[in-house]
Amino acid sequence: MAGNVDALYIFLLVVSGMMTLLIFTLLIYFAARYRRRQGVGAEQIEGSTPLELTWSIIPLGVFVVIFIWGAVVYFQERTPPRDATEVYVVAKQWMWKLEHAEGQREINELHVPVGRDVKLIMTSQDVIHSFYVPAFRLKQDVLPGRYTTLWFRATQTGTYHLFCAEYCGTQHSGMIGSIIVMEPARYEAWMSGGTSGPLSATGEKIFAELGCATCHRSDIQGRGPNLQGLFGRPVKLEDGRTVIADENYVRESILDPGAKIVAGFKPVMPTFQGLVSEEQVNALVAYVKSLSKPGPAGASSAAAASPSTNAPTKGSQVQ
Ligand code: CUA
């Protein structure tokens, strides 16, 4: 995305520079040409339609170009590809906690392979932070109480600065980290390091522990909606609205279940606000998501079924 952002930025700079030059040249020229002179009276001019049309239509054209170009770049940057690798980001005063969908956890460091689309699903545990990677031309506020997303595809290996770009307290300036872009082979080696299994498998375990499965049954219709194949689909609500079951919908349904009641169901689900950490909500979201992907869902179920991959306790490295 950096090339697109730079091109637009340079275009804006060139257009602004040319306009500034034109305005100042004319200003100086007119000031000299039409200066007050003894014995020369001022000439009254009633206006010129062709001139006014020219200086209205040309800038309009330039602004429309800027608008369309900017909108295209914006939508590209805001629309993650469907098959992107997912990383959950939890910001807190004053660190970045990152968890890969495959289960790897990191603090203030994000390892990614070169050439792969990576989608970040971000939330904050306390105040507003902002995820800022200048080299990638990426910046996105990270808010408490909801998810914001970001995506990128790194094109060169190397280590890039990660900053917090929203003043978030006394150690805001120390809330920094690195994005480490690796060759795919080295990345695979890094990924094969110790993990507690895929995030969706952790989510499945939490799902079972919290008793979610007693209502959200996968075999028959329980007291709660069946979650198989739910993610990414439209959901009809009791009040007639239709919403897309995205990350924020699943999150809200866990923490504020009464906010959007699915058509045909009663508002009987208790809230899990305060009972689950941000990391656990992320794991639950990853689990619900995995129920809609034939491949990864099978893999995560297999991983969850095997106690050995599941045994290490989560949260041991991060509090
Ligand atoms: Cu986090 Cu500034």
Side-chain angles (χ1 to χ4, degrees):
M1 210 62 70
N4 295 344
V5 174
D6 286 356
L8 178 57
Y9 182 77
I10 291 166
F11 175 74
L12 287 174
L13 206 63
V14 168
V15 169
S16 307
M18 276 165 38
M19 284 310 293
T20 307
L21 206 65
L22 180 68
I23 289 167
F24 275 86
T25 309
L26 290 177
L27 189 78
I28 293 163
Y29 171 72
F30 288 154
R33 174 84 174 73
Y34 300 107
R35 68 185 184 279
R36 187 153 67 150
R37 273 177 289 189
Q38 289 295 339
V40 181
E43 206 178 311
Q44 294 307 315
I45 297 169
E46 294 304 322
S48 159
T49 308
L51 190 61
E52 288 182 19
L53 282 176
T54 308
W55 78 41
S56 298
I57 290 171
I58 291 176
L60 177 71
V62 172
F63 285 126
V64 166
V65 166
I66 293 171
F67 170 75
I68 293 173
W69 191 347
V72 167
V73 172
Y74 178 81
F75 281 111
Q76 276 176 353
E77 195 169 308
R78 291 291 132 182
T79 316
R82 284 188 164 274
D83 55 352
T85 307
E86 295 184 340
V87 178
Y88 288 80
V89 180
V90 178
K92 63 172 272 191
Q93 287 167 322
W94 288 276
M95 62 159 83
W96 298 101
K97 295 186 284 185
L98 303 108
E99 187 163 14
H100 295 251
E102 292 84 354
Q104 260 73 12
R105 290 152 160 270
E106 305 189 63
I107 288 180
N108 295 340
E109 273 189 354
L110 174 60
H111 290 75
V112 292
V114 70
R116 197 184 300 168
D117 299 333
V118 178
K119 177 182 175 187
L120 304 175
I121 302 158
M122 311 189 290
T123 188
S124 166
Q125 217 172 286
D126 36 47
V127 300
I128 299 175
H129 303 272
S130 182
F131 194 95
Y132 179 34
V133 188
F136 298 177
R137 311 290 190 268
L138 284 183
K139 189 193 272 178
Q140 170 63 51
D141 273 12
V142 180
L143 310 172
R146 56 166 295 184
Y147 288 120
T148 51
T149 58
L150 209 56
W151 80 275
F152 61 85
R153 180 171 57 236
T155 53
Q156 283 174 39
T157 55
T159 302
Y160 303 95
H161 287 298
L162 161 64
F163 293 110
C164 177
E166 183 73 56
Y167 181 68
C168 55
T170 51
Q171 288 173 54
H172 154 72
S173 62
M175 194 168 163
I176 52 178
S178 329
I179 312 287
I180 297 147
V181 181
M182 308 166 91
E183 288 297 338
R186 284 193 56 211
Y187 177 75
E188 292 308 325
W190 179 85
M191 273 310 253
S192 61
T195 161
S196 52
L199 191 57
S200 55
T202 310
E204 187 169 15
K205 194 158 148 270
I206 299 166
F207 194 81
E209 282 169 6
L210 293 173
C212 310
T214 54
C215 294
H216 296 286
R217 301 183 55 146
S218 57
D219 45 354
I220 54 156
Q221 196 56 269
R223 290 203 298 158
N226 187 332
L227 305 180
Q228 299 288 334
L230 165 80
F231 194 85
R233 296 273 170 74
V235 180
K236 247 190 110 42
L237 301 182
E238 195 65 16
D239 62 11
R241 284 182 296 160
T242 300
V243 295
I244 298 290
D246 58 7
E247 285 98 356
N248 271 314
Y249 170 79
V250 176
R251 178 193 170 83
E252 183 185 53
S253 299
I254 296 166
L255 300 176
D256 185 11
K260 294 190 176 78
I261 300 296
V262 178
F265 289 90
K266 298 262 176 299
V268 291
M269 177 171 158
T271 175
F272 286 84
Q273 185 85 54
L275 299 176
V276 284
S277 68
E278 289 296 345
E279 283 82 358
Q280 287 173 314
V281 174
N282 289 345
L284 287 168
V285 169
Y287 170 60
V288 170
K289 204 180 276 187
S290 74
L291 298 175
S292 302
K293 294 179 191 163
S300 86
S301 301
S306 141
S308 62
T309 54
N310 222 359
T313 53
K314 86 174 252 95
S316 53
Q317 301 162 40
V318 198
Q319 18 22 39

